[in-house]
Amino acid sequence: MVTREEIYNESKREIADSLPKIIVEIVIAFLIWLFAVYIFIPLAGTLSDPTFLGLIGLQSLISGIVIVALIIIFIAILKEVIDVTNAIAGYATLAFSKGEVSEEKLDRYQTGFRLIGYVLLAVVAYLFFLPLIAGVLGVLAGVILVLLVIWAIIILFQAGRIFSTEIEEKAADFSKRVEKLKEEGTPEEKKE
């Protein structure tokens, strides 16, 4: 069992620690993307897209370099997203629980929110990578999008199943309370 105070303090600390890091890293990724898409890649095009060592076009090479840089940044963001989703799960657990919270329940909430965070991060990452991947190989961008959609659907189904357990428990508790009230009857019925 975990106390409400422990969950609250840990969640507050993680949000305060990780959220600013995510914002800074996304701004850095955006600036790299902005310079690459609107300055460096077009500059390579104005040079008639020469080949680098006769092997690869300069635009494709620049796109590849930026893709690697963005992958490194998004891997760093992933760790912080996990921390933030765990913190949000902690807050949600507190909101929907009374008294002490079991480790199992907290883990379920964290897993569910983490899965949703993965999907959101993957979508944001795809939006960053799209013009760069299309610059290297246009068909690859479409294939990755199809794979992303299939993966997101599977992950969101898993998250839904995690939360459906909680919803079923709440519905069962509500049904028990309704039955109990029904058995007790209303005060007017007792007078008669």
Side-chain angles (χ1 to χ4, degrees), residues 146-176:
V146 169
L147 294 175
L148 177 64
V149 168
I150 293 168
W151 174 80
I153 289 169
I154 292 167
I155 295 299
L156 291 173
F157 268 122
Q158 289 176 345
R161 287 193 176 138
I162 289 170
F163 290 120
S164 71
T165 304
E166 292 297 317
I167 293 169
E168 289 170 5
E169 288 175 7
K170 296 292 180 188
D173 290 344
F174 179 74
S175 295
K176 288 177 186 175

Side-chain angles (χ1 to χ4, degrees), residues 19-44:
L19 204 53
K21 290 178 184 175
I22 290 173
I23 292 169
V24 167
E25 289 169 350
I26 286 178
V27 168
I28 291 169
F30 179 72
L31 288 173
I32 291 171
W33 177 87
L34 195 65
F35 275 91
V37 170
Y38 289 107
I39 296 173
F40 299 133
I41 294 173
L43 275 175

Side-chain angles (χ1 to χ4, degrees), residues 35 46-47 49 79 91-92 147 186:
F35 275 91
T46 62
L47 299 173
D49 195 24
K79 183 210 175 291
Y91 286 134
L147 294 175
T186 61

Side-chain angles (χ1 to χ4, degrees), residues 7 20 38 65 75 90 102 124 153:
I7 294 172
Y38 289 107
I65 291 169
I75 288 172
S102 70
V124 170
I153 289 169

